[in-house]
Amino acid sequence: EVQLVESGEDLVQPGGSLRLSCAASGFTFSNYAMSWVRQAPGKGLEWVSAISGSGGSTSYADSLRGRLTISRDNSKNTLYLQMNTLRAEDTAVYYCAKAWSNWGSSGFDSWGQGTLVTVSS
Amino acid sequence: EIVLTQSPGTLSLSPGERATLSCRASQSVSSSYLAWYQQKPGQAPRLLIYGASSRVTGIPDRFSGSGSGTDFTLTISRLEPEDFAVYYCQQYGSSPYTFGQGTKLEIK
């Protein structure tokens, strides 16, 4: 059974930084691309970033590029999202999601339970 | 960036009725790389349909997807109480992999 467990939930001041983690199990982690998707309180889903199975290719939402870095450690079956210069509008539940391919055109067939990031002074 | 517009924003129906949800793209979605997700309060989204019309294993056959190009539809043939939720379409043909704003399906 695929399991994705996010961690890193925190209250952060504007301008601060935070790293989220997603521990994966139940599948061969390195074979699949992974993404982060976020959802602001009471709002819809917003794709944030994706990384290929090897970690060699990444993609970011244009509005977030430059403030985020997605990475993965296939030896630890863990996905990361480093977020810098956080703003109030970054407040959201952040989900990690598993793609059904190694890279390229793929939706998400498994999701974590989400971790809440709150940016406030 | 491909913008997805879902309609209606809210759909009020009764159990047993048929639901038709629309997703329109601002440009053609390549190879019908369009997915539908269901999200219930406090839960993560769940994949229902991929490739515009392929149902995920385990999803009841009352759920069906159709469409191509810029117009896509999710149909729930006969609503069950557990189907009342928010539904999102997503295109995954080109980055950024955008979502629609969602359709809330509520009990009338």
Side-chain angles (χ1 to χ4, degrees):
Chain A
E1 178 193 3
V2 172
Q3 283 202 318
L4 300 170
V5 180
E6 300 96 336
S7 59
E9 176 170 322
D10 207 352
L11 170 61
V12 185
Q13 290 195 339
S17 298
L18 188 65
R19 188 176 83 158
L20 304 182
S21 300
C22 172
S25 61
F27 64 103
T28 305
F29 185 63
S30 60
N31 284 356
Y32 296 94
M34 298 291 294
S35 273
W36 289 97
V37 177
R38 71 181 184 180
Q39 186 169 36
K43 302 298 184 182
L45 302 171
E46 179 185 18
W47 174 79
V48 169
S49 182
I51 187 168
S52 63
S54 67
S57 297
T58 59
S59 182
Y60 297 92
D62 289 343
S63 61
L64 299 169
R65 192 185 308 272
R67 295 196 297 122
L68 304 182
T69 302
I70 190 171
S71 62
R72 64 192 296 162
D73 185 337
N74 286 345
S75 69
K76 295 182 178 179
N77 288 352
T78 303
L79 174 72
Y80 302 101
L81 183 68
Q82 177 69 42
M83 301 188 294
N84 300 323
T85 320
L86 284 162
R87 306 166 181 167
E89 54 265 35
D90 295 319
T91 295
V93 172
Y94 286 74
Y95 295 101
C96 71
K98 171 189 167 292
W100 59 69
S101 71
N102 190 279
W103 185 236
S105 300
S106 173
F108 312 124
D109 57 7
S110 295
W111 298 64
Q113 84 287 352
T115 191
L116 177 62
V117 174
T118 304
V119 183
S120 175
S121 55
Chain B
E1 171 176 324
I2 297 178
V3 176
L4 300 179
T5 302
Q6 292 186 240
S7 61
T10 302
L11 185 58
S12 299
L13 294 170
S14 300
E17 291 192 294
R18 181 185 186 91
T20 303
L21 287 66
S22 174
C23 176
R24 177 161 292 178
S26 61
Q27 56 190 278
S28 184
V29 176
S30 60
S31 304
S32 294
Y33 287 147
L34 192 286
W36 289 94
Y37 300 85
Q38 176 193 68
Q39 187 179 33
K40 296 180 179 179
Q43 297 184 16
R46 177 175 70 148
L47 177 67
L48 303 175
I49 301 286
Y50 63 96
S53 61
S54 297
R55 197 167 43 249
V56 172
T57 301
I59 299 301
D61 60 7
R62 62 180 181 273
F63 290 89
S64 63
S66 63
S68 63
T70 60
D71 289 297
F72 299 89
T73 300
L74 175 69
T75 301
I76 310 172
S77 60
R78 189 176 173 83
L79 286 165
E80 297 288 342
E82 61 268 28
D83 298 336
F84 292 92
V86 179
Y87 292 84
Y88 294 95
C89 58
Q90 182 214 8
Q91 69 80 22
Y92 53 92
S94 62
S95 180
Y97 303 128
T98 45
F99 290 88
Q101 83 279 17
T103 290
K104 182 180 181 180
L105 179 55
E106 64 176 24
I107 299 177
K108 186 173 181 180

